[in-house]
mmCIF file of all heavy atoms in Angstrom:
data_model
loop_
_atom_site.group_PDB
_atom_site.id
_atom_site.type_symbol
_atom_site.label_atom_id
_atom_site.label_comp_id
_atom_site.label_asym_id
_atom_site.label_seq_id
_atom_site.Cartn_x
_atom_site.Cartn_y
_atom_site.Cartn_z
ATOM 1 N N GLY A 422 -7.680 4.071 -4.707
ATOM 2 C CA GLY A 422 -7.140 3.941 -3.349
ATOM 3 C C GLY A 422 -6.288 5.145 -2.975
ATOM 4 O O GLY A 422 -5.464 5.076 -2.058
ATOM 5 N N ALA A 424 -6.902 7.836 -1.391
ATOM 6 C CA ALA A 424 -7.093 8.483 -0.083
ATOM 7 C C ALA A 424 -6.484 7.646 1.044
ATOM 8 O O ALA A 424 -6.594 7.998 2.215
ATOM 9 C CB ALA A 424 -8.580 8.717 0.181
ATOM 10 N N GLY A 425 -5.845 6.548 0.676
ATOM 11 C CA GLY A 425 -5.225 5.687 1.695
ATOM 12 C C GLY A 425 -3.821 6.161 2.041
ATOM 13 O O GLY A 425 -3.357 7.211 1.573
ATOM 14 N N PHE A 426 -3.151 5.360 2.850
ATOM 15 C CA PHE A 426 -1.803 5.693 3.304
ATOM 16 C C PHE A 426 -0.850 5.881 2.118
ATOM 17 O O PHE A 426 -0.338 6.997 1.882
ATOM 18 C CB PHE A 426 -1.356 4.560 4.260
ATOM 19 C CG PHE A 426 0.116 4.427 4.479
ATOM 20 C CD1 PHE A 426 0.911 5.537 4.762
ATOM 21 C CD2 PHE A 426 0.718 3.164 4.443
ATOM 22 C CE1 PHE A 426 2.274 5.392 4.977
ATOM 23 C CE2 PHE A 426 2.072 3.015 4.665
ATOM 24 C CZ PHE A 426 2.859 4.130 4.925
ATOM 25 N N LEU A 427 -0.643 4.838 1.326
ATOM 26 C CA LEU A 427 0.321 4.954 0.221
ATOM 27 C C LEU A 427 -0.229 5.819 -0.909
ATOM 28 O O LEU A 427 0.502 6.632 -1.489
ATOM 29 C CB LEU A 427 0.667 3.565 -0.334
ATOM 30 C CG LEU A 427 1.292 2.579 0.645
ATOM 31 C CD1 LEU A 427 1.542 1.235 -0.038
ATOM 32 C CD2 LEU A 427 2.608 3.143 1.185
ATOM 33 N N GLY A 428 -1.504 5.648 -1.214
ATOM 34 C CA GLY A 428 -2.110 6.361 -2.345
ATOM 35 C C GLY A 428 -2.008 7.870 -2.195
ATOM 36 O O GLY A 428 -1.751 8.591 -3.171
ATOM 37 N N ASP A 446 -11.848 6.370 -4.647
ATOM 38 C CA ASP A 446 -11.724 5.682 -3.364
ATOM 39 C C ASP A 446 -13.110 5.465 -2.759
ATOM 40 O O ASP A 446 -13.971 6.338 -2.866
ATOM 41 C CB ASP A 446 -10.856 6.532 -2.406
ATOM 42 C CG ASP A 446 -10.177 5.695 -1.339
ATOM 43 O OD1 ASP A 446 -10.904 5.085 -0.536
ATOM 44 O OD2 ASP A 446 -8.938 5.653 -1.320
ATOM 45 N N ASN A 447 -13.302 4.326 -2.103
ATOM 46 C CA ASN A 447 -14.585 4.109 -1.406
ATOM 47 C C ASN A 447 -14.502 4.532 0.066
ATOM 48 O O ASN A 447 -15.459 4.378 0.807
ATOM 49 C CB ASN A 447 -15.036 2.645 -1.524
ATOM 50 C CG ASN A 447 -14.145 1.691 -0.737
ATOM 51 O OD1 ASN A 447 -13.134 2.107 -0.169
ATOM 52 N ND2 ASN A 447 -14.514 0.423 -0.704
ATOM 53 N N PHE A 448 -13.350 5.014 0.500
ATOM 54 C CA PHE A 448 -13.112 5.525 1.855
ATOM 55 C C PHE A 448 -13.362 4.461 2.929
ATOM 56 O O PHE A 448 -13.750 4.777 4.034
ATOM 57 C CB PHE A 448 -13.914 6.809 2.118
ATOM 58 C CG PHE A 448 -13.364 7.964 1.325
ATOM 59 C CD1 PHE A 448 -13.847 8.230 0.045
ATOM 60 C CD2 PHE A 448 -12.346 8.754 1.816
ATOM 61 C CE1 PHE A 448 -13.321 9.265 -0.721
ATOM 62 C CE2 PHE A 448 -11.805 9.797 1.060
ATOM 63 C CZ PHE A 448 -12.290 10.053 -0.211
ATOM 64 N N PHE A 449 -13.121 3.216 2.587
ATOM 65 C CA PHE A 449 -13.256 2.165 3.606
ATOM 66 C C PHE A 449 -12.145 2.313 4.654
ATOM 67 O O PHE A 449 -12.419 2.417 5.851
ATOM 68 C CB PHE A 449 -13.228 0.778 2.940
ATOM 69 C CG PHE A 449 -13.245 -0.349 3.929
ATOM 70 C CD1 PHE A 449 -14.230 -0.414 4.916
ATOM 71 C CD2 PHE A 449 -12.278 -1.351 3.907
ATOM 72 C CE1 PHE A 449 -14.237 -1.446 5.850
ATOM 73 C CE2 PHE A 449 -12.285 -2.383 4.834
ATOM 74 C CZ PHE A 449 -13.266 -2.431 5.807
ATOM 75 N N THR A 450 -10.898 2.353 4.197
ATOM 76 C CA THR A 450 -9.788 2.654 5.119
ATOM 77 C C THR A 450 -9.150 4.003 4.792
ATOM 78 O O THR A 450 -8.372 4.521 5.596
ATOM 79 C CB THR A 450 -8.693 1.564 5.065
ATOM 80 O OG1 THR A 450 -8.367 1.320 3.692
ATOM 81 C CG2 THR A 450 -9.135 0.280 5.714
ATOM 82 N N GLY A 451 -9.456 4.558 3.638
ATOM 83 C CA GLY A 451 -8.923 5.874 3.261
ATOM 84 C C GLY A 451 -9.616 6.982 4.049
ATOM 85 O O GLY A 451 -10.709 6.782 4.586
ATOM 86 N N HIS A 470 -16.075 6.110 -4.970
ATOM 87 C CA HIS A 470 -16.510 5.042 -5.866
ATOM 88 C C HIS A 470 -15.854 3.750 -5.427
ATOM 89 O O HIS A 470 -14.686 3.741 -5.027
ATOM 90 C CB HIS A 470 -16.078 5.379 -7.308
ATOM 91 C CG HIS A 470 -16.415 4.315 -8.302
ATOM 92 N ND1 HIS A 470 -17.633 4.253 -8.956
ATOM 93 C CD2 HIS A 470 -15.697 3.249 -8.752
ATOM 94 C CE1 HIS A 470 -17.643 3.208 -9.768
ATOM 95 N NE2 HIS A 470 -16.490 2.582 -9.659
ATOM 96 N N ASP A 471 -16.584 2.657 -5.518
ATOM 97 C CA ASP A 471 -16.029 1.351 -5.198
ATOM 98 C C ASP A 471 -15.624 0.680 -6.501
ATOM 99 O O ASP A 471 -16.448 0.546 -7.407
ATOM 100 C CB ASP A 471 -17.095 0.514 -4.461
ATOM 101 C CG ASP A 471 -16.484 -0.697 -3.801
ATOM 102 O OD1 ASP A 471 -15.777 -1.454 -4.489
ATOM 103 O OD2 ASP A 471 -16.692 -0.866 -2.585
ATOM 104 N N ILE A 472 -14.377 0.252 -6.587
ATOM 105 C CA ILE A 472 -13.893 -0.278 -7.871
ATOM 106 C C ILE A 472 -14.521 -1.622 -8.241
ATOM 107 O O ILE A 472 -14.306 -2.103 -9.348
ATOM 108 C CB ILE A 472 -12.345 -0.359 -7.957
ATOM 109 C CG1 ILE A 472 -11.779 -1.300 -6.893
ATOM 110 C CG2 ILE A 472 -11.712 1.027 -7.921
ATOM 111 C CD1 ILE A 472 -10.343 -1.745 -7.185
ATOM 112 N N LEU A 486 -4.195 0.989 -6.260
ATOM 113 C CA LEU A 486 -3.791 0.745 -4.869
ATOM 114 C C LEU A 486 -5.005 0.414 -4.007
ATOM 115 O O LEU A 486 -4.895 0.328 -2.784
ATOM 116 C CB LEU A 486 -3.080 1.974 -4.293
ATOM 117 C CG LEU A 486 -1.623 2.173 -4.694
ATOM 118 C CD1 LEU A 486 -1.492 2.746 -6.091
ATOM 119 C CD2 LEU A 486 -0.921 3.098 -3.715
ATOM 120 N N ALA A 487 -6.165 0.283 -4.636
ATOM 121 C CA ALA A 487 -7.392 0.109 -3.853
ATOM 122 C C ALA A 487 -7.456 -1.301 -3.278
ATOM 123 O O ALA A 487 -7.554 -2.270 -4.019
ATOM 124 C CB ALA A 487 -8.609 0.374 -4.732
ATOM 125 N N CYS A 488 -7.382 -1.394 -1.992
ATOM 126 C CA CYS A 488 -7.563 -2.647 -1.232
ATOM 127 C C CYS A 488 -7.121 -2.368 0.194
ATOM 128 O O CYS A 488 -6.044 -1.806 0.399
ATOM 129 C CB CYS A 488 -6.688 -3.775 -1.799
ATOM 130 S SG CYS A 488 -6.938 -5.336 -0.917
ATOM 131 N N PRO A 489 -7.926 -2.724 1.181
ATOM 132 C CA PRO A 489 -7.428 -2.556 2.551
ATOM 133 C C PRO A 489 -6.197 -3.422 2.736
ATOM 134 O O PRO A 489 -6.163 -4.572 2.286
ATOM 135 C CB PRO A 489 -8.586 -3.045 3.431
ATOM 136 C CG PRO A 489 -9.524 -3.761 2.523
ATOM 137 C CD PRO A 489 -9.245 -3.340 1.113
ATOM 138 N N ALA A 490 -5.170 -2.866 3.407
ATOM 139 C CA ALA A 490 -3.891 -3.586 3.473
ATOM 140 C C ALA A 490 -3.659 -4.272 4.812
ATOM 141 O O ALA A 490 -2.821 -5.159 4.902
ATOM 142 C CB ALA A 490 -2.749 -2.608 3.188
ATOM 143 N N HIS A 501 -15.699 -9.065 0.233
ATOM 144 C CA HIS A 501 -15.498 -7.780 -0.440
ATOM 145 C C HIS A 501 -14.030 -7.571 -0.795
ATOM 146 O O HIS A 501 -13.704 -6.997 -1.842
ATOM 147 C CB HIS A 501 -16.033 -6.622 0.417
ATOM 148 C CG HIS A 501 -16.207 -5.379 -0.371
ATOM 149 N ND1 HIS A 501 -15.201 -4.443 -0.501
ATOM 150 C CD2 HIS A 501 -17.231 -4.927 -1.134
ATOM 151 C CE1 HIS A 501 -15.618 -3.473 -1.290
ATOM 152 N NE2 HIS A 501 -16.839 -3.739 -1.696
ATOM 153 N N THR A 505 -12.715 -6.871 -4.428
ATOM 154 C CA THR A 505 -11.897 -5.686 -4.729
ATOM 155 C C THR A 505 -10.678 -6.092 -5.555
ATOM 156 O O THR A 505 -10.349 -5.465 -6.567
ATOM 157 C CB THR A 505 -11.440 -5.009 -3.418
ATOM 158 O OG1 THR A 505 -12.605 -4.537 -2.750
ATOM 159 C CG2 THR A 505 -10.491 -3.858 -3.663
ATOM 160 N N ALA A 527 -0.519 -2.399 -7.305
ATOM 161 C CA ALA A 527 0.136 -2.529 -6.000
ATOM 162 C C ALA A 527 -0.094 -3.953 -5.524
ATOM 163 O O ALA A 527 -1.112 -4.252 -4.896
ATOM 164 C CB ALA A 527 -0.436 -1.519 -5.013
ATOM 165 N N SER A 528 0.833 -4.843 -5.846
ATOM 166 C CA SER A 528 0.749 -6.207 -5.333
ATOM 167 C C SER A 528 1.502 -6.262 -4.002
ATOM 168 O O SER A 528 1.811 -5.208 -3.426
ATOM 169 C CB SER A 528 1.301 -7.186 -6.372
ATOM 170 O OG SER A 528 1.010 -8.509 -5.982
ATOM 171 N N THR A 529 1.798 -7.422 -3.555
ATOM 172 C CA THR A 529 2.269 -7.538 -2.176
ATOM 173 C C THR A 529 3.221 -8.712 -1.973
ATOM 174 O O THR A 529 3.137 -9.717 -2.701
ATOM 175 C CB THR A 529 1.046 -7.719 -1.232
ATOM 176 O OG1 THR A 529 1.505 -8.059 0.066
ATOM 177 C CG2 THR A 529 0.115 -8.813 -1.707
ATOM 178 N N TYR A 558 -7.009 -11.978 0.889
ATOM 179 C CA TYR A 558 -6.035 -10.963 0.481
ATOM 180 C C TYR A 558 -4.943 -11.598 -0.375
ATOM 181 O O TYR A 558 -4.701 -11.174 -1.507
ATOM 182 C CB TYR A 558 -5.447 -10.322 1.739
ATOM 183 C CG TYR A 558 -4.490 -9.180 1.474
ATOM 184 C CD1 TYR A 558 -4.959 -7.905 1.181
ATOM 185 C CD2 TYR A 558 -3.112 -9.372 1.543
ATOM 186 C CE1 TYR A 558 -4.076 -6.847 0.958
ATOM 187 C CE2 TYR A 558 -2.229 -8.327 1.321
ATOM 188 C CZ TYR A 558 -2.722 -7.070 1.036
ATOM 189 O OH TYR A 558 -1.847 -6.025 0.814
ATOM 190 N N LYS A 562 -4.745 -11.062 -4.338
ATOM 191 C CA LYS A 562 -3.635 -10.340 -4.978
ATOM 192 C C LYS A 562 -2.949 -11.214 -6.030
ATOM 193 O O LYS A 562 -2.484 -10.711 -7.044
ATOM 194 C CB LYS A 562 -2.606 -9.908 -3.920
ATOM 195 C CG LYS A 562 -3.093 -8.785 -3.010
ATOM 196 C CD LYS A 562 -3.028 -7.436 -3.719
ATOM 197 C CE LYS A 562 -3.363 -6.299 -2.765
ATOM 198 N NZ LYS A 562 -3.315 -4.987 -3.430
ATOM 199 N N ILE A 585 4.942 -5.108 -2.967
ATOM 200 C CA ILE A 585 5.328 -4.227 -1.861
ATOM 201 C C ILE A 585 5.583 -5.059 -0.610
ATOM 202 O O ILE A 585 4.767 -5.905 -0.248
ATOM 203 C CB ILE A 585 4.186 -3.220 -1.568
ATOM 204 C CG1 ILE A 585 3.814 -2.433 -2.822
ATOM 205 C CG2 ILE A 585 4.554 -2.306 -0.410
ATOM 206 C CD1 ILE A 585 2.513 -1.637 -2.675
ATOM 207 N N ASN A 587 6.293 -4.808 3.600
ATOM 208 C CA ASN A 587 5.915 -3.936 4.731
ATOM 209 C C ASN A 587 6.400 -2.496 4.625
ATOM 210 O O ASN A 587 7.601 -2.235 4.705
ATOM 211 C CB ASN A 587 6.571 -4.495 5.991
ATOM 212 C CG ASN A 587 5.557 -5.107 6.905
ATOM 213 O OD1 ASN A 587 4.369 -4.823 6.773
ATOM 214 N ND2 ASN A 587 6.024 -5.937 7.828
ATOM 215 N N THR A 588 5.501 -1.575 4.521
ATOM 216 C CA THR A 588 5.873 -0.162 4.410
ATOM 217 C C THR A 588 5.156 0.623 5.509
ATOM 218 O O THR A 588 4.021 0.306 5.865
ATOM 219 C CB THR A 588 5.516 0.359 3.015
ATOM 220 O OG1 THR A 588 6.230 -0.415 2.063
ATOM 221 C CG2 THR A 588 5.892 1.821 2.849
ATOM 222 N N ARG A 599 -1.509 -2.638 11.895
ATOM 223 C CA ARG A 599 -0.226 -3.156 11.413
ATOM 224 C C ARG A 599 0.827 -2.943 12.490
ATOM 225 O O ARG A 599 0.676 -2.097 13.370
ATOM 226 C CB ARG A 599 0.157 -2.502 10.082
ATOM 227 C CG ARG A 599 -0.621 -3.130 8.943
ATOM 228 C CD ARG A 599 -0.281 -2.555 7.601
ATOM 229 N NE ARG A 599 -1.095 -1.398 7.274
ATOM 230 C CZ ARG A 599 -1.097 -0.814 6.078
ATOM 231 N NH1 ARG A 599 -0.337 -1.276 5.122
ATOM 232 N NH2 ARG A 599 -1.866 0.237 5.852
HETATM 233 N N1 NAD B 1748 1.458 -0.551 3.220
HETATM 234 C C1 NAD B 1748 1.987 -1.722 3.000
HETATM 235 O O1 NAD B 1748 2.881 -2.145 3.740
HETATM 236 C C2 NAD B 1748 1.533 -2.580 1.841
HETATM 237 C C3 NAD B 1748 2.187 -3.807 1.659
HETATM 238 C C4 NAD B 1748 1.811 -4.597 0.585
HETATM 239 C C5 NAD B 1748 0.839 -4.170 -0.293
HETATM 240 N N2 NAD B 1748 0.217 -2.985 -0.095
HETATM 241 C C6 NAD B 1748 -0.836 -2.611 -1.042
HETATM 242 O O2 NAD B 1748 -0.768 -1.233 -1.351
HETATM 243 C C7 NAD B 1748 -2.079 -0.703 -1.508
HETATM 244 C C8 NAD B 1748 -2.257 0.493 -0.598
HETATM 245 O O3 NAD B 1748 -2.036 0.075 0.741
HETATM 246 P P1 NAD B 1748 -2.114 1.098 1.970
HETATM 247 O O4 NAD B 1748 -1.112 0.654 2.930
HETATM 248 O O5 NAD B 1748 -2.107 2.476 1.469
HETATM 249 O O6 NAD B 1748 -3.539 0.695 2.549
HETATM 250 P P2 NAD B 1748 -4.801 1.625 2.900
HETATM 251 O O7 NAD B 1748 -5.808 0.706 3.505
HETATM 252 O O8 NAD B 1748 -4.358 2.812 3.672
HETATM 253 O O9 NAD B 1748 -5.265 2.130 1.475
HETATM 254 C C9 NAD B 1748 -6.153 1.420 0.643
HETATM 255 C C10 NAD B 1748 -7.090 2.425 0.009
HETATM 256 O O10 NAD B 1748 -7.961 1.740 -0.888
HETATM 257 C C11 NAD B 1748 -9.307 2.142 -0.622
HETATM 258 N N3 NAD B 1748 -10.169 1.021 -1.026
HETATM 259 C C12 NAD B 1748 -10.251 -0.214 -0.455
HETATM 260 N N4 NAD B 1748 -11.130 -0.964 -1.127
HETATM 261 C C13 NAD B 1748 -11.615 -0.212 -2.152
HETATM 262 C C14 NAD B 1748 -12.563 -0.424 -3.168
HETATM 263 N N5 NAD B 1748 -13.210 -1.605 -3.293
HETATM 264 N N6 NAD B 1748 -12.836 0.580 -4.030
HETATM 265 C C15 NAD B 1748 -12.207 1.787 -3.905
HETATM 266 N N7 NAD B 1748 -11.301 2.050 -2.951
HETATM 267 C C16 NAD B 1748 -11.001 1.061 -2.078
HETATM 268 C C17 NAD B 1748 -9.336 2.430 0.857
HETATM 269 O O11 NAD B 1748 -10.413 3.248 1.258
HETATM 270 C C18 NAD B 1748 -7.984 3.120 1.037
HETATM 271 O O12 NAD B 1748 -8.044 4.485 0.745
HETATM 272 C C19 NAD B 1748 -3.047 -1.851 -1.213
HETATM 273 O O13 NAD B 1748 -3.464 -2.415 -2.437
HETATM 274 C C20 NAD B 1748 -2.211 -2.828 -0.444
HETATM 275 O O14 NAD B 1748 -2.649 -4.148 -0.644
HETATM 276 C C21 NAD B 1748 0.543 -2.188 0.957
#
Side-chain angles (χ1 to χ4, degrees):
F426 160 47
L427 300 178
D446 205 297
N447 69 355
F448 290 90
F449 175 53
T450 49
H470 177 87
D471 194 308
I472 62 163
L486 281 78
C488 182
H501 196 270
T505 296
S528 190
T529 170
Y558 184 80
K562 289 283 186 180
I585 304 168
N587 251 342
T588 300
R599 282 181 272 189

